Amino acid sequence: MRVVVIDDDKLVALSLKTILESTPDIEVVAMGSSGDEAIGLYKEHMPDVMLMDIRMEGMTGLEAGEIILKDSPEAKLLYLTTFSDDEYIIKALGMGAKGYILKQDYEGIAPALTAVMNGQSVFGDSVRDKLPTLMKGKEEFDFDAYDISEKEKEILEAVASGMNNKEIAEKLFLSEGTVRNYISSLLDKLELRDRTQLAVFYYTEVKR
């Protein structure tokens, strides 16, 4: 897995590089320290996953991520930060980032990258705990209005829990192809773009 690391604290970036490259199959192909560098390094290296800080001097990681995703919608961005502010969480995941974890969880960074590489969404425990309360006060979501079946609800919950298609198929006794079809149907009915947005939708609209 080819990874680009972006953090304006160069000591942190070097520490991350050391931690990640001690894991088999992870190669840090470049490091940067600003949002501007993130955009350039993504275009230059087209990494499998970009691991990026949010608060940086000048252009923030969120601003850089929006530009990267506009040019490369398939980009896999995982945000790593010391901040767990609600507005950052919602903006990062809502714009199409694949996850948001806190820097304190060093042991979880490499597994998170692997999960993102495999198409899963990743939320640190403290982030996951906050999601259900971020949209308090909204009316209960009307699944019937969107013609969403009980099986599709099960698929939605499984996606939000971070399960991949194979794991969902085994849990619900379905084929992986059927799972993919259900997910495509959910995306279409809810007018969402990808699995990450499905997970965010689940935590902000369903599990409150």
Side-chain angles (χ1 to χ4, degrees):
M1 182 196 327
R2 300 171 66 257
V3 176
V4 168
V5 174
I6 306 293
D7 196 301
D8 62 353
D9 186 326
K10 293 186 177 180
L11 182 58
V12 170
L14 285 170
S15 297
L16 289 170
K17 183 177 188 294
T18 300
I19 291 169
L20 295 176
E21 292 195 331
S22 67
T23 303
D25 303 325
I26 294 181
E27 176 190 5
V28 176
V29 296
M31 294 188 297
S33 58
S34 69
D36 287 321
E37 283 189 285
I39 295 167
L41 289 172
Y42 188 87
K43 289 180 180 178
E44 179 181 351
H45 295 280
M46 299 299 288
D48 296 311
V49 184
M50 175 169 275
L51 182 65
M52 181 156 51
D53 193 14
I54 284 187
R55 286 193 182 182
M56 296 184 286
E57 291 292 328
M59 182 184 293
T60 68
L62 290 176
E63 291 168 338
E66 287 181 311
I67 293 172
I68 291 169
L69 287 166
K70 183 178 179 180
D71 292 339
S72 304
E74 75 287 354
K76 291 182 170 67
L77 306 181
L78 177 61
Y79 282 105
L80 179 66
T81 182
T82 56
F83 303 97
S84 58
D85 299 303
D86 295 352
E87 62 179 290
Y88 291 140
I89 296 170
I90 291 300
K91 186 170 183 180
L93 301 179
M95 74 185 196
K98 299 304 180 185
Y100 187 115
I101 59 177
L102 302 183
K103 285 183 179 177
Q104 293 90 323
D105 183 21
Y106 279 107
E107 292 183 357
I109 296 173
L113 285 168
T114 300
V116 168
M117 175 68 181
N118 291 332
Q120 299 178 52
S121 304
V122 178
F123 308 97
D125 290 341
S126 60
V127 175
R128 186 190 298 273
D129 290 344
K130 291 168 73 73
L131 286 173
T133 64
L134 293 182
M135 302 293 284
K136 268 188 174 179
K138 285 202 167 188
E139 295 294 326
E140 184 175 345
F141 188 81
D142 186 0
F143 283 106
D144 291 336
Y146 288 81
D147 192 29
I148 292 175
S149 69
E150 289 300 319
K151 185 62 69 177
E152 286 173 328
K153 290 181 187 178
E154 290 183 80
I155 298 286
L156 174 61
E157 182 177 359
V159 169
S161 72
M163 298 174 71
N164 60 33
N165 288 356
K166 182 179 179 181
E167 291 168 334
I168 296 172
E170 291 174 352
K171 178 182 179 181
L172 300 181
F173 304 103
L174 301 170
S175 70
E176 289 187 53
T178 300
V179 171
R180 285 193 294 271
N181 289 339
Y182 272 122
I183 291 174
S184 295
S185 176
L186 279 167
L187 291 172
D188 185 53
K189 290 177 180 180
L190 297 173
E191 298 183 352
L192 299 174
R193 184 172 59 235
D194 55 28
R195 298 172 74 98
T196 300
Q197 289 194 342
L198 276 178
V200 173
F201 169 84
Y202 176 80
Y203 283 112
T204 59
E205 301 289 346
V206 181
K207 189 177 172 61
R208 295 197 300 267

